[in-house]
Amino acid sequence: MSGSRQPRKEPAPSEEVRAQAATWIARLHNEQRDPNLKAQVRAWLGESEDHRRAFNRMAVAWERSGKIRIRARGDVPARGMGLWLRFTPWSAAISASMAIAAIVLVYYWNDSAVVTGVGQQQVRLLQDGTRVVLNTDTRIEVNYDDRARRVRLIRGEAWFDVSKRPSWPFLVSVDGHEIRALGTSFIVRHDDIQDFSVTLVEGRISVAPIARIDEAGSQDQHILAPGQRLLISRNHAPTVDRPELTRVTAWERGRVEFEETPLGDAVGEMNRYSTHHVTLLNSELAQLRVGGVFRAGDSDEFVRTVSAAFGLRAERHGHDIQLSRAAVALPSPGESHP
């Protein structure tokens, strides 16, 4: 974007449209939401400017007050609402379901950059209808012009649900590579200076080095199919795998999921969501395999679980926790050995 736009003074959306917008917002923040819900919201937003204005206003109201009170009339497609609905305050729902900081939902994003701190998430709906969810400790920069919609991921992790605009390419650059998408849902993660990954949820994308993006038949270009993840490292050749998508996307639900994960990697993942870090004092502990579902940012729960599972000792030093092998008690003099 070349500069910020001044908000226009336009008629307020009707009560019916505001009720619909409030319903969509509440459903988006329901942990048990329909997997197809985001596509339904995009379609509704694309129907009219009035829908988009209503969504913006109700999102701001949700953020400021933590609740929305709306009236459903007989001529409103209220999708199962009663005569009156009072939604659970968002702040209370978040604190009950996740340990990370509250999510902020904003409709128009006119700044060139947005940053989330450690343990924070943000949901952003861009001017073209593209929805972006930013995970912990993430920074992206946006630059839309007449030729292309460009986003740069500087660090962290972001999930893009791209609005389909055939004549307006959507490009994400990360660590010298460019991702091209159209009407696509994908996740980009870059929290290591040596590596980054791209996971395609649905649609089709290509990933190629920026310097060679226009070279036909480049051997470095990768076309991903839904469910595939491309991992690119400066230390080895690119690889493609098929991770469990529910595990890759668990962070959007405030969770971190492990299955036969080395403890060293699990500790690193938990540390992404908290300024209170867990460290391993014994190098061999890093190879222990852990599994389970944890709340993002809840280091105490994680430490309690792995300590009990492996008989480890946990010692707190300030806000940080150190894990080590539990000391073996020496037999008393004269005590017989087994």
Side-chain angles (χ1 to χ4, degrees):
M1 299 179 187
S2 58
S4 60
R5 300 177 180 174
Q6 296 297 322
R8 295 176 297 172
K9 294 183 178 179
E10 297 173 317
S14 67
E15 181 180 355
E16 290 82 1
V17 172
R18 294 200 305 272
Q20 294 172 35
T23 303
W24 287 124
I25 291 171
R27 292 177 65 190
L28 280 170
H29 292 92
N30 183 348
E31 190 171 340
Q32 305 301 321
R33 63 180 178 268
D34 186 329
N36 299 317
L37 180 60
K38 289 183 285 187
Q40 297 171 21
V41 173
R42 287 201 303 268
W44 185 80
L45 288 170
E47 290 178 1
S48 72
E49 181 66 24
D50 205 37
H51 288 183
R52 292 188 287 272
R53 288 200 306 271
F55 191 93
N56 180 34
R57 292 181 180 216
M58 299 310 292
V60 171
W62 184 288
E63 176 188 351
R64 289 177 177 174
S65 67
K67 60 188 176 183
I68 299 177
R69 187 178 178 93
I70 58 178
R71 181 162 62 95
R73 290 166 43 178
D75 56 346
V76 179
R79 308 192 186 280
M81 295 188 301
L83 180 62
W84 283 89
L85 270 187
R86 185 180 181 89
F87 294 105
T88 302
W90 184 14
S91 58
I94 290 293
S95 62
S97 63
M98 61 173 61
I100 60 177
I103 299 170
V104 178
L105 177 63
V106 179
Y107 179 55
Y108 280 119
W109 177 26
N110 295 317
D111 297 329
S112 63
V114 67
V115 179
T116 57
V118 174
Q120 293 180 332
Q121 286 184 350
Q122 289 194 36
V123 181
R124 296 280 177 160
L125 197 62
L126 307 185
Q127 68 176 43
D128 63 323
T130 292
R131 180 176 181 265
V132 186
V133 187
L134 295 99
N135 199 5
T136 176
D137 194 19
T138 297
R139 178 185 177 92
I140 64 175
E141 295 179 349
V142 173
N143 182 17
Y144 280 19
D145 57 32
D146 293 338
R147 293 173 297 176
R149 297 168 288 171
R150 299 181 184 275
V151 179
R152 181 186 175 202
L153 176 67
I154 298 174
R155 68 173 184 272
E157 186 172 22
W159 186 344
F160 299 91
D161 280 327
V162 181
S163 175
K164 190 172 183 178
R165 302 290 182 92
S167 60
W168 204 9
F170 190 89
L171 311 173
V172 177
S173 62
V174 52
D175 196 28
H177 288 70
E178 189 166 78
I179 304 161
R180 289 177 175 253
L182 180 64
T184 303
S185 179
F186 63 98
I187 301 169
V188 187
R189 175 169 172 172
H190 182 41
D191 51 16
D192 187 304
I193 61 173
Q194 299 294 326
D195 310 288
F196 75 89
S197 65
V198 183
T199 304
L200 181 59
V201 179
E202 62 181 41
R204 187 170 182 266
I205 59 175
S206 67
V207 184
I210 291 177
R212 308 171 84 177
I213 194 69
D214 295 324
E215 294 182 9
S218 171
Q219 294 183 352
D220 293 328
Q221 179 170 304
H222 298 270
I223 307 296
L224 298 185
Q228 289 186 325
R229 176 176 61 184
L230 172 66
L231 299 102
I232 294 181
S233 172
R234 299 177 188 177
N235 299 322
H236 54 73
T239 59
V240 176
D241 64 0
R242 279 188 171 273
E244 179 60 49
L245 283 180
T246 57
R247 189 170 299 118
V248 175
T249 61
W251 57 268
E252 193 198 21
R253 303 183 297 277
R255 299 174 179 173
V256 180
E257 299 186 8
F258 303 119
E259 182 176 355
E260 289 297 308
T261 304
L263 181 57
D265 293 343
V267 165
E269 188 69 14
M270 292 299 296
N271 285 344
R272 292 178 65 205
Y273 297 91
S274 176
T275 56
H276 303 166
H277 285 179
V278 179
T279 58
L280 302 177
L281 294 186
N282 308 107
S283 58
E284 68 272 14
L285 297 182
Q287 302 308 313
L288 296 173
R289 300 283 173 167
V290 300
V293 180
F294 301 90
R295 290 180 294 171
D298 195 343
S299 300
D300 290 335
E301 177 192 16
F302 174 78
V303 167
R304 285 194 299 268
T305 301
V306 298
S307 296
F310 299 113
L312 305 181
R313 179 173 59 189
E315 294 183 343
R316 189 176 297 274
H317 295 268
H319 294 298
D320 297 337
I321 304 174
Q322 295 180 342
L323 288 175
S324 61
R325 288 286 188 190
V328 178
L330 297 176
S332 302
E335 182 179 346
S336 61
H337 295 272

